[in-house]
Amino acid sequence: MTDQTYQPTLSQLRAFVAVAEYRHFGTAAARLSVSQPTLSQALAALEHGLGLQLIERSTRRVLVTAAGMRLLPQATATLEAADRFVASATGDSLGGTLRIGIIPTVAPYVLPDLLPELRKELPALNLQVVEDQTARLLEGLRTGVLDVALLALPTEAPGLVEIPLYTEEFVLVTPRGHELAGRTDIAPAALDALPLLLLDEGHCLRDQTLEFCRSADAHPGAVGDTRAASLATVVQCVAGGLGVTLIPEMAVAAETARGTLETAHFAAPAPGRTIGLAFRASTARADDYERLAQIIRSQRPGVN
């Protein structure tokens, strides 16, 4: 039974949230820059004070209990409020810790320019980046493990606010010398019977590519026979003559830099996607995320 006079400390809440996020005591302790015994003691004190088990421990795994899942969003909100309080004292509302999730088909192409800009514009910000697939990022938002996510919109997830940032076309990547290479007016039917290489299941780009083929009545051959966990692997398979693929426009320069690949563009209306920020509708940091959105947009001049 909870002691009604008990007041948890921020250190105890941070220990709980960190263990719930990483599901590993050693990793959580390292991220908080404390020893593992200190972390364990803080979590134990929180559980004792609440009269609830929040984390289930075993020699093999760490699980968040039902009570822990119920209280995790509130613990996260409390820490957010504390970070905002400290940041306000420095004169910058977008300070403290910000945990941002980013899908793998965006992170490598946005972060090189975005991170230096954030350091310059928001020196009080302690940014934590989590790269993961869309479903897990949405779960992180729902449970409070993440504050905001940069991903493809719309997510169609309840309880989230979405800020569209830019749209980008999908570009066809081919081996050098391919009959479609260099064209700017290809129709979806040009994909018919071509071996189409895709990312593995769970990546939204895979789903978007397949949806484009269905909606355009395109029928590529050998769809998904070769699958990869990253765009870098997919395009190397293309370079090796295993097929063709569609990649986001922002990835073209980085992924075709070796010169062993060529590209082609679809006639209008070309397939594409919208990238944006998503965050919980219940957060008190909506204005902060609007500012973050403006900074991200500023790093992509000339996009829609």
Side-chain angles (χ1 to χ4, degrees), residues 90-111:
T90 69
D92 193 341
S93 62
L94 223 175
T97 300
L98 180 69
R99 296 158 302 177
I100 182 171
I102 310 180
I103 55 176
T105 55
V106 169
Y109 317 110
V110 168
L111 290 179

Side-chain angles (χ1 to χ4, degrees), residues 135-152:
R136 288 194 285 267
L137 295 184
L138 293 177
E139 176 66 11
L141 288 176
R142 187 187 69 80
T143 60
V145 170
L146 295 175
D147 300 311
V148 64
L150 182 62
L151 35 63

Side-chain angles (χ1 to χ4, degrees), residues 3 40 56 58 68 72 74 134 136 144 146 159 174-175 196 231 247 288 293 295-296:
D3 180 355
S40 297
E56 182 180 329
S58 74
L72 182 58
Q74 297 176 57
T134 298
R136 288 194 285 267
L146 295 175
T174 73
L196 182 63
L231 281 183
I247 69 173
D288 292 345
I295 293 174
I296 296 173

Side-chain angles (χ1 to χ4, degrees), residues 62-256:
V62 174
L63 299 175
V64 184
T65 66
M69 293 299 293
R70 177 171 57 86
L71 293 175
L72 182 58
Q74 297 176 57
T76 301
T78 300
L79 294 175
E80 281 184 357
D83 287 340
R84 283 175 57 83
F85 175 78
V86 174
S88 295
T90 69
D92 193 341
S93 62
L94 223 175
T97 300
L98 180 69
R99 296 158 302 177
I100 182 171
I102 310 180
I103 55 176
T105 55
V106 169
Y109 317 110
V110 168
L111 290 179
D113 293 327
L114 179 60
L115 292 181
E117 185 66 15
L118 289 176
R119 284 196 296 270
K120 182 179 73 173
E121 294 290 330
L122 305 168
L125 182 66
N126 174 27
L127 190 68
Q128 297 178 359
V129 175
V130 176
E131 183 186 52
D132 213 334
Q133 295 178 5
T134 298
R136 288 194 285 267
L137 295 184
L138 293 177
E139 176 66 11
L141 288 176
R142 187 187 69 80
T143 60
V145 170
L146 295 175
D147 300 311
V148 64
L150 182 62
L151 35 63
L153 303 181
T155 66
E156 299 181 352
L160 296 183
V161 173
E162 299 177 354
I163 304 176
L165 297 176
Y166 57 86
T167 60
E168 60 178 350
E169 294 183 1
F170 292 154
V171 176
L172 182 68
V173 179
T174 73
R176 181 184 293 169
H178 193 276
E179 61 182 4
L180 296 178
R183 290 183 54 180
T184 60
D185 61 347
I186 60 174
L191 297 177
D192 286 354
L194 291 180
L196 182 63
L197 309 184
L198 300 172
L199 287 170
D200 209 348
E201 292 182 1
H203 290 275
C204 60
L205 181 60
R206 171 189 175 88
D207 298 334
Q208 292 156 0
T209 300
L210 292 175
E211 176 58 29
F212 162 65
C213 292
R214 283 192 292 267
S215 64
D217 198 27
H219 304 282
V223 174
D225 285 358
T226 295
R227 294 181 297 180
S230 70
L231 281 183
T233 300
V234 171
V235 297
Q236 288 308 308
C237 290
V238 173
L242 300 186
V244 300
T245 194
L246 270 64
I247 69 173
E249 190 174 17
M250 77 166 87
V252 170
E255 299 300 349
T256 63

